[in-house]
Amino acid sequence: MEYRADFFLGVFGQILGYAADYVILWLLIQSFSTIDGWTWPELAFLVSLNILSYAIGASFTYTPTANMEELIRTGDFDKYLTKPLNTLMYLIASMFNFGYIAHITISLSILLWSVTALPVQWTFLKILYLICILIGGAMIQAGALILVSCWGFLFTKSQYLFSLYFKMKEFISYPMSIYAPFIQICLTWIIPLAFINYYPSLFLLGKQEGVLVYLTPLLGPIFLSVVIKLWFAGVNRYQGTGS
């Protein structure tokens, strides 16, 4: 908070940017009424789950993972290895990003609005399930960012993969059912982004039930644990770049 004006202007700009995404989606709905049967409140709920879970997970992991390429290239990563601390936790603690308060503000606001606008009976179990999928979705989002950064241990350069990840994440702003089967398979079983918001939304909105809708709370911790093991495997083989 040393530069408060800069911080708050940045937050305001981020809120405007994500608000524009919601407006674009709303304009599409005005033209087509629904998208594969999904109404505006349902789509707002779908997108908000994506943005809110990302904001929670990225608050801890985006800055350290996005900086991994530079840390490895310059040799600055070595200083994190000299401390008697868990390397990943040290990175996260030293680079926690408070700027994601903007993402949380806009997505949580729209999420709460959509919850009241939807004809859904919110029981205690559904509210508990919603909290669990937000936590599980945040773990998937955090795990995906850590996984991308692992590439840096092998090839030093990893920044371009972040752009690819964010392009892929845009797919889950819309129902998976509008995509070809190949894309649905990729976003379900290869990079499990569909579990962040699509499958949970099917259950909460009463569109579909099945085993997939219950996997997010379980898949999040499992995916994150596996990715963390891969990250430390990369640390163990890290030998510096000779900078």
Side-chain angles (χ1 to χ4, degrees), residues 40-105:
W40 161 235
E42 291 172 337
L43 288 170
F45 182 79
L46 184 75
V47 175
S48 295
L49 286 181
N50 178 19
I51 298 175
L52 182 55
S53 61
Y54 166 73
I56 296 171
S59 295
F60 296 92
T61 58
Y62 175 76
T63 302
T65 55
N67 284 322
M68 278 301 298
E69 176 183 310
E70 185 69 11
L71 291 173
I72 292 173
R73 186 183 63 81
T74 60
D76 286 341
F77 182 66
D78 292 12
K79 72 179 182 182
Y80 292 94
L81 302 175
T82 61
K83 303 294 190 296
L85 301 168
N86 180 296
T87 310
L88 182 58
M89 293 300 103
Y90 183 25
L91 275 169
I92 289 173
S94 62
M95 297 186 186
F96 182 86
N97 193 332
F98 289 96
Y100 279 99
I101 188 66
H103 302 64
I104 292 174
T105 300

